[in-house]
Amino acid sequence: MDGPGFTITPLPSETAARQAAQGGAPEELNRLGITLKLGGREDEAAQWFRKAAEAGNTDGMANLAMYLMARGRNREAAEWFRRAGGPLGEALAQQLASEPDTPPGR
């Protein structure tokens, strides 16, 4: 079921994702984060998103920013959105930079 301009790739099992991430490729680090997030392990996923982001993966940057934003860490989220770049990243960074951090649950 591929659409125009994109391909759908199923995510690997957690075991396969962990094995792939051991190689250190930023895309695989991010993919492991996604696998963990979908399994309900968001805090552990964020650790892998951060590793991917710090290795230069823009998807990892955006995923980490989303995690931080959901936890009210707006300033840090803004920085990662800015690093991810693109019009959406810049717009979200500008919006979040003007908002104070908020405690979780608010």
Side-chain angles (χ1 to χ4, degrees):
M1 274 195 147
D2 294 343
F6 64 91
T7 301
I8 298 172
T9 305
L11 287 173
S13 69
E14 182 179 335
T15 301
R18 283 189 186 279
Q19 289 173 344
Q22 286 177 356
E27 304 82 26
E28 299 300 337
L29 300 172
N30 185 61
R31 189 169 292 130
L32 175 55
I34 293 168
T35 300
L36 293 167
K37 181 180 179 187
L38 292 174
R41 294 161 47 203
E42 292 188 13
D43 293 336
E44 186 179 356
Q47 294 171 12
W48 291 98
F49 291 148
R50 185 174 296 279
K51 288 178 183 186
E54 289 172 349
N57 182 270
T58 55
D59 290 337
M61 293 174 193
N63 286 328
L64 177 59
M66 295 290 286
Y67 171 85
L68 294 166
M69 185 175 68
R71 278 144 187 82
R73 295 166 60 184
N74 295 330
R75 291 190 179 122
E76 190 178 358
E79 180 57 33
W80 283 110
F81 276 128
R82 188 169 287 111
R83 288 183 184 185
L88 181 58
E90 280 300 317
L92 288 168
Q94 285 180 351
Q95 167 115 17
L96 289 172
S98 66
E99 295 181 18
D101 286 350
T102 57
R106 284 187 140 186

